């Protein structure tokens, strides 16, 4: 199960009173991250499906200030209640050609001269390459019985603050926005407007998510020191080495440069 959503899908509906239009929620975060996975797990049990892999998130936390993170935790709980031998895959934030992490920084710089860093961008994240997560899932599919009822955590080789990621992106794209240390509650004012875009770059709940660390549950050393009984697996256990973000990011971020990467090559300008 790869179904998930980080914002409520909304649509316009007619109403009898002025302004005669209203935004209604067509699919909520809770429905996408809890109700749908629960239904899939129940159907798998009913139809005696041999194996189920549910992709959750390292941010899943019932006590998080983010509704999205709470919904991911509840989704895990409901899946395991309906299908106890499901395999739970927990990636950190994923990066890759169509990611909503590095691309978002670049897209915001195309539209705004000032980029707000939520609470200074001090919260940490440990991004993982999406292809590494896909390879990990392939390994699980190759031997599903080994991972029944177990969890597999996927994370990158290094953690970064959001401020560090922003500077990293702009070093590649050569965009020059002003990075501003802005309290979360102030960033939410802008996010309340941006949330109505079709594919929002920022929502109030995403602001809440950026106030918290988005990291794997343990350090690499603690994962390695676990006993076999009840062990939480990592990509390394499945023979997948984490790809550094520096090795991949240029391949899809250079397009945000004016003139692309050819601007620095003689003969192209």
């Amino acid at each position: 199960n790869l179904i998930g959503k980080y914002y409520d899908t909304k649509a316009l509906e007619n109403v009898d009173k002025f302004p005669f239009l209203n935004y209604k929620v067509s699919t909520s975060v809770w429905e996408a991250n809890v109700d749908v996975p629960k239904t899939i797990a129940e159907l798998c049990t009913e139809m005696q499906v041999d194996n189920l892999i549910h992709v959750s998130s390292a941010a899943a936390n019932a006590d998080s200030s983010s509704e999205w993170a709470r919904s991911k935790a509840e989704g895990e709980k409901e899946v395991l209640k309906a299908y106890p031998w499901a395999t739970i895959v927990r990636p950190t934030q994923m990066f890759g050609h169509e990611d909503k992490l590095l691309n978002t920084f670049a897209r915001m710089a195309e539209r705004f001269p000032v980029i707000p860093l939520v609470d200074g961008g001090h919260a940490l994240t440990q991004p993982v390459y999406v292809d590494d997560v896909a390879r990990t899932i392939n390994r699980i599919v190759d031997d599903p019985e080994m991972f029944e009822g177990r969890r597999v955590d996927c994370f990158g080789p290094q953690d970064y603050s959001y401020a560090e990621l922003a500077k990293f992106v702009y070093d590649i794209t050569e965009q020059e926005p002003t990075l501003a240390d802005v309290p979360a509650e102030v960033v939410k004012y802008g996010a309340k407007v941006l949330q109505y875009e079709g594919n929002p770059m920022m929502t109030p709940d995403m602001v809440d998510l950026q106030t918290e660390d988005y990291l794997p549950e343990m350090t690499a050393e603690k994962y390695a020191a676990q006993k076999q009984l009840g062990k939480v697996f990592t990509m390394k256990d499945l023979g997948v080495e984490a790809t550094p973000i520096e090795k991949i990011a240029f391949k899809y971020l250079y397009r945000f440069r004016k003139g692309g990467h050819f601007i620095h090559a003689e003969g192209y300008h």
Side-chain angles (χ1 to χ4, degrees):
N1 170 42
L2 288 165
I3 294 173
K5 214 164 189 61
Y6 69 93
Y7 61 92
D8 292 339
T9 303
K10 297 180 180 180
L12 285 170
E13 65 175 349
N14 295 321
V15 293
D16 295 333
K17 297 180 180 180
F18 183 82
F20 306 112
L21 288 173
N22 179 55
Y23 266 108
K24 68 174 182 178
V25 174
S26 53
T27 305
S28 71
V29 167
W30 207 260
E31 288 172 326
N33 296 335
V34 181
D35 295 345
V36 171
K38 175 185 176 182
T39 301
I40 291 172
E42 289 174 341
L43 287 171
C44 285
T45 300
E46 182 181 330
M47 300 179 70
Q48 298 182 356
V49 173
D50 290 336
N51 305 101
L52 170 64
I53 301 171
H54 173 67
V55 179
S56 181
S57 168
N61 181 357
D63 298 319
S64 174
S65 60
S66 163
E67 181 187 15
W68 179 85
R70 295 195 302 273
S71 73
K72 295 300 277 188
E74 185 65 20
E76 282 188 21
K77 180 181 174 182
E78 291 298 332
V79 165
L80 291 172
K81 186 188 295 184
Y83 194 102
W85 50 99
T87 302
I88 305 296
V89 176
R90 275 191 175 188
T92 51
Q93 282 176 297
M94 290 184 274
F95 68 89
H97 285 71
E98 297 181 7
D99 71 43
K100 297 186 183 300
L101 179 61
L102 306 186
N103 280 311
T104 297
F105 283 118
R107 288 187 182 121
M108 289 183 75
E110 287 186 321
R111 294 178 58 180
F112 308 111
V114 178
I115 305 301
L117 296 175
V118 178
D119 289 341
H122 297 304
L124 298 175
T125 183
Q126 196 166 332
V128 61
Y129 186 33
V130 64
D131 284 19
D132 292 342
V133 177
R135 278 192 287 270
T136 301
I137 292 173
N138 279 337
R139 301 286 170 85
I140 296 171
V141 171
D142 287 340
D143 189 7
E145 287 77 16
M146 180 178 177
F147 303 100
E148 287 182 347
R150 308 295 285 273
R151 201 177 88 205
V152 182
D153 288 359
C154 303
F155 48 89
Q158 184 178 341
D159 60 37
Y160 306 86
S161 69
Y162 287 102
E164 289 173 329
L165 282 181
K167 293 172 185 175
F168 170 70
V169 168
Y170 301 134
D171 279 346
I172 294 175
T173 64
E174 298 182 354
Q175 296 163 303
E176 297 180 342
T178 299
L179 297 177
D181 179 345
V182 184
E185 292 306 314
V186 176
V187 180
K188 283 184 181 180
Y189 288 119
K192 286 178 181 177
V193 176
L194 292 175
Q195 70 176 332
Y196 291 105
E197 294 182 313
N199 185 17
M201 290 189 291
M202 185 67 70
T203 69
D205 192 67
M206 290 170 68
V207 174
D208 285 332
L209 190 63
Q210 287 193 20
T211 64
E212 303 171 355
D213 290 341
Y214 200 140
L215 299 171
E217 190 175 77
M218 295 177 268
T219 63
E221 293 74 21
K222 288 185 178 179
Y223 279 110
Q226 295 177 93
K227 296 179 180 179
Q228 281 300 119
L229 184 63
K231 175 179 179 175
V232 175
F233 292 100
T234 66
M235 297 192 307
K236 191 172 183 179
D237 294 320
L238 280 73
V240 178
E241 286 295 327
T243 305
I245 200 169
E246 295 85 357
K247 190 174 180 179
I248 302 297
F250 179 83
K251 295 179 181 178
Y252 62 95
L253 290 178
Y254 76 84
R255 73 184 189 277
F256 290 99
R257 287 182 179 179
K258 292 182 179 179
H261 66 289
F262 297 112
I263 200 70
H264 293 301
E266 292 184 7
Y268 288 100
H269 56 87

